[in-house]
Each structure stands twice: as structure tokens, then as C-alpha cells.
Amino acid sequence: MKLTASAGLHGSITVPGDKSISHRAVMFGALADGDTHISGFLMGEDCLSTIECFRRMGVPVEISGQEVLVHGVGLHGLKAPDSPLYTGNSGTTTRLLSGILAAQPFPVTMTGDASIEKRPMGRIITPLRQMGAAIDGRDGSFCPLTIRPAALHGITYEMPVASAQLKSAVLLAGLYADGPTTVIEPAPSRDHTERMLRALGAQVESDGCRITIHAPQTLQAVDLAVPGDISSAAFFLVAGAVVPNSTLTIRDVGINPTRDGVIEVLRAMGADLTISNVREGAEPVADLTVRSSRLHGTEIKGALIPRLIDELPVLAAAAAFAEGETVIRDAQELKVKESNRITAMVNELTRAGADCTETADGMIIRGGKPLHGAAFESYHDHRIAMSMAVLALGAAGESEILNPEVVSISYPGFFDSLRMIGG
């Protein structure tokens, strides 16, 4: 994919449905009694992997455009698949499904692509085993995972890291436990699981960073509307801020307060970013407008990190355009995503002429240097590919994105959207 510097980005767009919510809508709809109609579903490869896994366990799922109809089989209606479940590139599918499969009356093996087989699963294996699960991984903590039938009991688990995937795996296993299950987070992570389980009738209590689910219980199907993914909107928020003569509006974006850290950071960097047309519901939604801005460096660390972990690559690209120093700390989690996103972004920003340094838990970017186009690696990571595409729109000369098709994991029409606004 070839890109050149843009003279200005303009227009109003929508982005695909939220990836995290789309995964959960299928999973929880499958476990509910009745039919769950999902609108705004993200038709990306990861979410389609979730659908295929549940189809193979006997859950009928119909797809029509951006809408999905899940015919739920109830908490105890899943059937044994006839071969290992394949989760593709999806860490969310792999980790959340582990919590569900830990309580099923049949053995199952779960595996994924080369990237998934390198991503550690020990952080979910540990609490699930404490609940009584019989779960084993290759070399202790890697896929393929083998899960055998076991009776689960409720636990109180203090999480070592703030991770929505870890929290969700334990809470989903808690649906099948013999008593309450409590997770205690070190800092708030995205809360889509708690919100959606409550919407389906589960008894979930939250007290700060302490979340408790009670069992046994049943889930009742409801219609679910998936808002636009703020992680996808982030690429356009940064593009609109760094490309001169730009004004962009991204409509119908989810602004869940456990996910809106990218807005807070961009504003701290001096971005002209406004929120309008706010609608409250199961998930708050709004329109976001961004205009070209003179950005300056900032510090991103601590409790902010779980609220913007997926947006850190594109924020690193924004920092390369900003005056002064930007420091990203406490982001070790970036090392175990689809790629090592710390190393990947430092390598590619340096390739474009940026002055940046990798650290043990993040990176330091000394912004304001002239940036030029280059042939950028994607590392088979959708967020790296899209981050470097955004940088290319503001850099001098021509750029190439190698293996650009990887964007289909979360945003199949990404480059079409860029063209629509003048990229």
C-alpha cells in the first residue's frame, strides 16, 4: 500500500463496530436463553473467529450485512466440537473462551495462528486452576490449550495486572462456579463484560476495582447495539490532529470511560478535539471532531495505560509530530500483543526519522524532527500497519505499508476510509 503526504483531511465518517463488544456479544448471546440480535457488529477476522468457534459448538449464528443473529443455547447447551477450536489471531477469543470452556462437560483443545501460539496464557491458567479447572498449555502457558471437564468453585482473585481479558475469563468461569467469584483489579480495565452481563440479567456487583459475579444463574437474550470502536477512531483522531488543514468528524463512537484515555491524552497534547451528540445507554456513544493542532509532548503512565493500551501505537506516532518529549511508561503489556509493539513502533518511527528510544516498559519519543516516508513493516499487526499509515499522511514524500492486508483483523475498510477523507 502506497501513501503520500496529505494536503488536508476533511469529512465525516463512521468506523466499524467495537471489537471488544462484538466478541462479547456473540459469546454471551450464545450462552443466553433466546435469540440475541446484534447490530453494528465488526466483521473483522478476529470477531469472525469467535463466531466460528461457537458455531462449531452447536450455536446457530446468522450473518446479514453488519447484523448478527445468535440463537442462544443457554449456559449448559454447548456441544463438543469434532476437532480443536481455532481462534485465529484473536487473543480475546482465546482468553475469554477459556473461562467458558473450563466448565463444560466435554474436553476441548484450542489453538490459533503463529502469533497466538507465542502469546502467554499463563495469566488466565493460574486463576482458572485455582477455581478447579483442568487446563494445560504447551510448555506450561502457550497454545494449544487443552481443557478437560471439571467442577468450578468461586474464588477471590487479586489480579497481578489490569487486564479486561483476564478479568473476563475469571468472571465467565464464575457463571458456572458453586459460589460467588470476585476479581480485584490493580486499576480499572475496560468494563464491557460487566455491563453486558448485567444487561442479560446476570447478578454482577462492582465496588471500585472489586467485581463479584454470583452463580448459578441464567442469561436472557436481549438486542445489542455495538457502537463504533474508539480504538479504530483513534487513527483518525491522530490523523486529523497531525495533518495540516484538517477537520474530521467520527460519528457514533463508543466513549466508555474505561476506554476513553486516548481522548484525554490527545487533549493533554494540545489537540483541538470536541465531543458532541452524547447518547447514554448500555454503552455511551458520541460524535468526535478533531482539527489540525500544534501538539506537544506529554507523559502517559499508570492508571491511564489500561484505558488506552490499544491506542498507544498511534499515540506514539502522534508524539513523533509533537514538540518536545513524550514518555510512555508502565506499558509492558505492549510486548505480548500481536507483535512486540514497543520494539515495532520504535523501529518504524526511527525509520521515518523520529528520535525515539525503547525502554523496559515503554518508549521515549523526542518529537518535532522532520519526518519522511519509508517502507514500513507491519509485523503482521493491524495496529502497527494503521499507525504507520497515519504517520505517512503527515510525513514528507512517499511511504509504503508492507503486508497491509493485516488491517482486516479489526478494520477491513481502513484504507477505503482514508481515501474518503482525502488520504
Side-chain angles (χ1 to χ4, degrees):
M1 184 65 66
K2 293 184 177 180
L3 302 94
T4 55
S6 173
L9 304 174
H10 301 277
S12 177
I13 63 169
T14 56
V15 294
D18 188 285
K19 188 162 168 274
S20 297
I21 297 173
S22 293
H23 280 300
R24 288 161 171 79
V26 170
M27 292 183 183
F28 303 169
L31 301 179
D33 295 326
D35 293 344
T36 295
H37 176 259
I38 308 167
S39 58
F41 186 84
L42 169 61
M43 295 298 170
E45 290 178 4
D46 277 10
C47 296
L48 294 175
S49 292
T50 293
I51 287 178
E52 184 57 25
C53 285
F54 279 91
R55 280 175 168 167
R56 297 201 43 238
M57 290 188 288
V59 180
V61 183
E62 302 173 33
I63 299 175
S64 177
Q66 304 301 308
E67 300 193 352
V68 172
L69 182 61
V70 182
H71 300 282
V73 298
L75 281 176
H76 302 283
L78 297 179
K79 298 176 182 177
D82 56 9
S83 60
L85 295 175
Y86 182 74
T87 62
N89 188 253
S90 179
T92 302
T93 308
T94 307
R95 293 190 174 108
L96 270 63
L97 198 49
S98 296
I100 296 169
L101 294 175
Q104 300 308 314
F106 50 80
V108 64
T109 297
M110 189 164 45
T111 190
D113 68 5
S115 171
I116 283 295
E117 291 193 345
K118 295 176 184 176
R119 298 176 70 176
M121 298 294 159
R123 68 172 52 163
I124 59 163
I125 292 174
T126 296
L128 291 178
R129 282 180 175 167
Q130 289 183 22
M131 297 179 75
I135 177 171
D136 294 291
R138 175 181 57 83
D139 296 333
S141 63
F142 295 92
C143 283
L145 298 179
T146 300
I147 304 172
R148 299 177 301 281
L152 302 184
H153 55 265
I155 62 170
T156 295
Y157 184 66
E158 291 198 28
M159 294 168 48
V161 294
S163 165
Q165 292 180 0
L166 170 56
K167 172 176 65 176
S168 297
V170 176
L171 291 176
L172 287 171
L175 285 170
Y176 297 90
D178 61 5
T181 295
T182 298
V183 292
I184 303 171
E185 300 183 279
S189 65
R190 57 188 68 178
D191 65 353
H192 305 305
T193 292
E194 301 96 295
R195 287 172 179 260
M196 195 175 296
L197 284 174
R198 289 190 191 103
L200 273 65
Q203 187 180 352
V204 181
E205 300 165 358
S206 297
D207 181 10
C209 289
R210 186 183 185 96
I211 303 101
T212 300
I213 188 165
H214 296 269
Q217 52 190 302
T218 59
L219 304 180
Q220 297 298 321
V222 297
D223 290 347
L224 298 171
V226 181
D229 196 331
I230 194 167
S231 296
S232 294
F235 299 104
F236 297 94
L237 295 177
V238 171
V242 303
V243 174
N245 307 311
S246 297
T247 301
L248 285 178
T249 296
I250 306 99
R251 300 189 307 274
D252 306 326
V253 179
I255 55 166
N256 182 306
T258 63
R259 292 281 301 281
D260 65 355
V262 64
I263 295 174
E264 183 175 330
V265 168
L266 284 174
R267 283 177 163 172
M269 296 176 76
D272 182 352
L273 197 165
T274 57
I275 302 172
S276 62
N277 194 22
V278 178
R279 288 94 75 201
E280 293 291 342
E283 293 281 347
V285 177
D287 299 339
L288 307 177
T289 299
V290 63
R291 297 172 181 82
S292 303
S293 315
R294 290 180 59 85
L295 301 183
H296 53 79
T298 191
E299 190 171 28
I300 308 171
K301 64 179 182 178
L304 258 179
I305 297 296
R307 293 172 51 207
L308 45 61
I309 189 70
D310 289 333
E311 293 74 70
L312 285 173
V314 77
L315 285 172
F321 291 94
E323 292 293 331
E325 186 175 271
T326 294
V327 179
I328 299 173
R329 306 185 196 277
D330 306 317
Q332 302 94 325
E333 182 75 10
L334 289 178
K335 294 181 177 181
V336 291
K337 293 290 187 176
E338 284 84 338
S339 67
N340 181 331
R341 289 178 175 166
I342 296 175
T343 299
M345 285 306 299
V346 169
N347 286 348
E348 300 315 296
L349 291 177
T350 301
R351 200 187 300 271
D355 179 3
C356 51
T357 304
E358 179 174 345
T359 65
D361 62 351
M363 62 192 91
I364 301 170
I365 302 153
R366 303 163 193 90
K369 286 197 168 188
L371 301 177
H372 54 76
F376 297 116
E377 295 284 350
S378 67
Y379 300 80
H380 301 286
D381 187 327
H382 53 129
R383 300 203 193 278
I384 301 298
M386 290 186 280
S387 296
M388 299 319 297
V390 168
L391 181 138
L393 295 181
E398 184 175 87
S399 296
E400 293 183 0
I401 308 295
L402 306 179
N403 300 309
E405 65 280 357
V406 72
V407 303
S408 62
I409 288 172
S410 64
Y411 198 155
F414 174 72
F415 291 107
D416 293 331
S417 295
L418 280 187
R419 289 187 187 98
M420 283 175 53
I421 59 175

